[in-house]
Amino acid sequence: MTSQLKGKVLVTGADGFIGSHLVEHLLDRGLEVRALSQYNSFNNWGWLEDIHSPGLEVVTGDVRDPNLCREIVKGCDTIFHLAALIAIPYSYTAPDSYVDTNIKGTLNICQAARDAGSRRVIVTSTSEVYGTAQYVPIDEKHPKQPQSPYSATKIGADALALSFHNAFDLPVVVARPFNTYGPRQSARAIIPTIISQIASGKDVIKVGDLTPTRDFNFVADTARGFIALAEAPGIEGREINIATGTEVSMRDTLLTIARVMGREVDFVTDPARLRPSSSEVFRLCGDNKLITSLTSWRPEVSLEDGLRVTAEWFTRPENLAKYKPDIYNR
């Protein structure tokens, strides 16, 4: 598959869930990819460990270090900035860490990209910045509502990136994916939490609040959305949703998971999995008119098909072994 993108591209957060899938999609398009994996003393590259390609260059480091950021952007025409702390519950405990990684890390990448003269910087946002929907579908003009320290830092990171466009003409695009799911997703998210519990043989599944609704994107669709926004002309300085335009409740999602996995299970509420009431986002449904008007991107994978693929991946013993179904991953 060919791509309009040229030269080497940088992906930060490449060792994570969405980042590793994006790396695969970019490599499939024949691109050279420099992938940033967070440094650790085990020299573990996360989900990049099983991706092997002559076009892949893995660099270890941390976006909190401005010197590293200046080095890794060199020679990269396009930057996909995905590196972030993402778990909402942990942001209640460690908000300083979220400020350092999500806001200051974005500052470091934007400053480095400005100095390097990068062609485009795709900064990853989240539908969490909108909070509970005041109206649906949620378009890009919807008010921002910081209902958790995590969402507050993402609002701050988005604003900082856009300020670099307004003040310094940095060619920034803010990509705002709604709820991405699929193989390799962290167990802190509800879909892998449920699938991994069922796959491990449990008949009683621990869950949080089942009433909220979400707009679920299969990870391949999200990755294609990022690439479409990197290729589309004249969209610098814009915030753009990547969404299906549909919503489904947590309860219906879990019933669909049980059905595609061929299991009858009971669900019980685990108080540890409940967000504070004023922090819970009760309704998300994205408006995708902007991205579909600016690019050829369309969501291609139905929720049921995506859940089936995800469940099949999690039920492979070598994959399930990487998760801890008995422990709530905050």
Side-chain angles (χ1 to χ4, degrees):
M1 186 179 295
T2 60
S3 174
Q4 298 173 33
L5 292 172
K6 304 297 180 184
K8 182 174 287 187
V9 301
L10 170 67
V11 180
T12 72
D15 49 348
F17 164 47
I18 299 176
S20 62
H21 283 275
L22 177 59
V23 166
E24 287 183 316
H25 280 255
L26 292 166
L27 292 170
D28 286 346
R29 285 163 167 76
L31 289 157
E32 293 182 62
V33 180
R34 179 176 293 155
L36 177 63
S37 172
Q38 186 174 33
Y39 173 83
N40 60 84
S41 60
F42 300 103
N43 199 29
N44 184 282
W45 295 348
W47 293 118
L48 296 174
E49 288 284 346
D50 296 325
I51 301 176
H52 307 286
S53 169
L56 176 63
E57 174 195 0
V58 179
V59 177
T60 58
D62 197 313
V63 293
R64 293 175 298 179
D65 189 320
N67 301 303
L68 173 91
C69 292
R70 281 194 292 271
E71 288 299 314
I72 61 176
V73 302
K74 290 179 179 177
C76 291
D77 185 62
T78 303
I79 298 167
F80 295 91
H81 177 47
L82 285 80
L85 285 178
I86 57 172
I88 293 166
Y90 187 55
S91 77
Y92 303 141
T93 302
D96 278 12
S97 298
Y98 285 71
V99 170
D100 288 344
T101 299
N102 297 354
I103 297 179
K104 296 174 81 172
T106 299
L107 169 63
N108 292 338
I109 287 293
C110 287
Q111 186 63 64
R114 178 192 176 202
D115 293 344
S118 301
R119 182 194 69 86
R120 181 163 292 177
V121 183
I122 306 296
V123 172
T124 307
S125 182
T126 169
S127 56
E128 286 283 329
V129 303
Y130 295 126
T132 296
Q134 296 184 16
Y135 59 83
V136 295
I138 299 170
D139 59 22
E140 290 80 0
K141 296 179 181 178
H142 189 285
K144 309 296 193 303
Q145 301 178 107
Q147 290 181 219
S148 66
Y150 163 69
S151 65
T153 62
K154 295 300 284 186
I155 291 170
D158 295 351
L160 187 62
L162 292 170
S163 79
F164 266 69
H165 172 72
N166 293 327
F168 309 119
D169 293 322
L170 185 68
V172 166
V173 177
V174 174
R176 186 163 293 133
F178 277 63
N179 308 90
T180 302
Y181 72 98
R184 305 183 201 144
Q185 187 173 17
S186 165
R188 57 95 201 164
I190 188 165
I191 287 176
T193 292
I194 298 308
I195 292 176
S196 60
Q197 288 183 76
I198 294 176
S200 67
K202 297 184 182 300
D203 295 317
V204 179
I205 309 303
K206 295 180 179 180
V207 294
D209 191 346
L210 295 181
T211 59
T213 67
R214 295 292 184 264
D215 184 332
F216 286 113
N217 274 305
F218 187 62
V219 66
D221 283 339
T222 298
R224 289 189 307 99
F226 274 96
I227 294 170
L229 295 179
E231 294 180 329
I235 62 171
E236 293 84 358
R238 305 190 77 166
E239 305 169 73
I240 303 175
N241 291 340
I242 304 174
T244 69
T246 59
E247 62 182 319
V248 60
S249 72
M250 299 293 194
R251 181 177 298 278
D252 287 343
T253 301
L254 303 189
L255 293 175
T256 303
I257 291 171
R259 185 175 70 252
V260 301
M261 295 184 73
R263 290 283 301 279
E264 291 185 8
V265 294
D266 294 321
F267 302 105
V268 297
T269 300
D270 178 2
R273 300 169 192 259
L274 298 173
R275 296 192 204 179
S277 59
S278 59
S279 184
E280 178 63 82
V281 173
F282 287 99
R283 191 178 186 192
L284 285 174
C285 179
D287 189 324
N288 63 16
K289 290 187 180 68
L290 185 56
I291 190 172
T292 56
S293 69
L294 296 171
T295 76
S296 62
W297 181 87
R298 303 291 185 276
E300 295 180 359
V301 182
S302 71
L303 180 60
E304 184 153 340
D305 287 346
L307 288 174
R308 184 174 290 107
V309 170
T310 304
E312 289 172 355
W313 184 88
F314 272 91
T315 52
R316 295 174 199 157
E318 66 273 21
N319 296 330
L320 185 61
K322 296 180 172 70
Y323 290 80
K324 302 178 178 69
D326 293 320
I327 299 174
Y328 174 45
N329 186 335
R330 299 175 64 239

